[in-house]
Amino acid sequence: IRDLVRSRGLGDVYKRQAGWMLSKPISRWQYLTAKVIVLFAVVIAGLYICSALAYLYTMTLIGEAPLAGSIMATTALVAYTLLLATLTFTFSTLLKSQLAAGGLAVVVFFLSGLLNLVVAETAAADFYPNTLLALMKPLIEGTAAPSAVAGPLTVTLLLILLLFLLAGNRFSRMEL
């Protein structure tokens, strides 16, 4: 478990660490799932801790802010960040270069932002993952209901699951 926690991405596949770890009685799906759980735990804990500190700091400066809206705004940010992390993780199973995987994820991030300019004016905005980012300010201000994130949050979580399954399928067929 210690080695799973220390290793990030699939860069260790090319360093033979994964070959050693997978020669033990552990399946590739267990290995991949453990890596994703650790990655997600770090991201979730980090963002919620930082958000709680920012909320407390804001309260000392300007007073009360809607707690439910702040929690939902953080949840929206966490979901979107996990989508980008999963996208990068999936690209790392498809490409040999970790730099290329990260670069491609950044390109997709920027392209999704450009696409958001078009989608924001349509009914699809209610389900587009980038809407999570657009809803953060209204949630914190209390001008949007916390339930407003339900559509884009559901789609984002489904995309995370699909990307994880794609990464797992690809990883299970990789030659170590």
Side-chain angles (χ1 to χ4, degrees), residues 6 18 35 43 62 64 68 77 79 89 108 134 143 173:
R6 286 192 332 200
K35 289 185 91 128
V43 169
I62 59 174
E64 284 287 321
L77 178 62
F89 196 74
V108 169
T143 58
R173 291 186 280 128

Side-chain angles (χ1 to χ4, degrees), residues 50-62:
C50 290
S51 179
L53 292 173
Y55 181 80
L56 293 174
Y57 179 70
T58 302
M59 283 182 44
T60 61
L61 291 178
I62 59 174

Side-chain angles (χ1 to χ4, degrees), residues 1 4-8 32-44:
I1 298 285
L4 288 175
V5 172
R6 286 192 332 200
S7 62
R8 289 181 239 156
L32 186 69
T33 303
K35 289 185 91 128
V36 168
I37 288 171
V38 169
L39 173 68
F40 280 18
V42 168
V43 169
I44 291 168

Side-chain angles (χ1 to χ4, degrees), residues 69-84 116 119-120 124-140 144-160:
S70 297
I71 291 171
M72 287 310 296
T74 303
T75 301
L77 178 62
V78 166
Y80 193 78
T81 304
L82 292 178
L83 177 63
L84 292 178
N116 190 49
V119 172
D126 294 338
F127 303 99
Y128 191 58
N130 283 37
T131 304
L132 291 172
L133 300 179
L135 286 171
M136 287 178 63
K137 183 178 179 203
L139 285 167
I140 292 170
S147 62
V149 299
L153 184 62
T154 302
V155 170
T156 301
L157 295 175
L158 287 173
L159 283 172
I160 289 170

Side-chain angles (χ1 to χ4, degrees), residues 88-118:
T88 305
F89 196 74
T90 301
F91 286 154
S92 75
T93 64
L94 299 172
L95 305 170
K96 287 192 176 200
S97 168
Q98 302 306 298
L99 183 61
L104 189 55
V106 169
V107 168
V108 169
F109 172 71
F110 283 114
L111 290 177
S112 72
L114 291 175
L115 183 61
N116 190 49
L117 296 173
V118 176

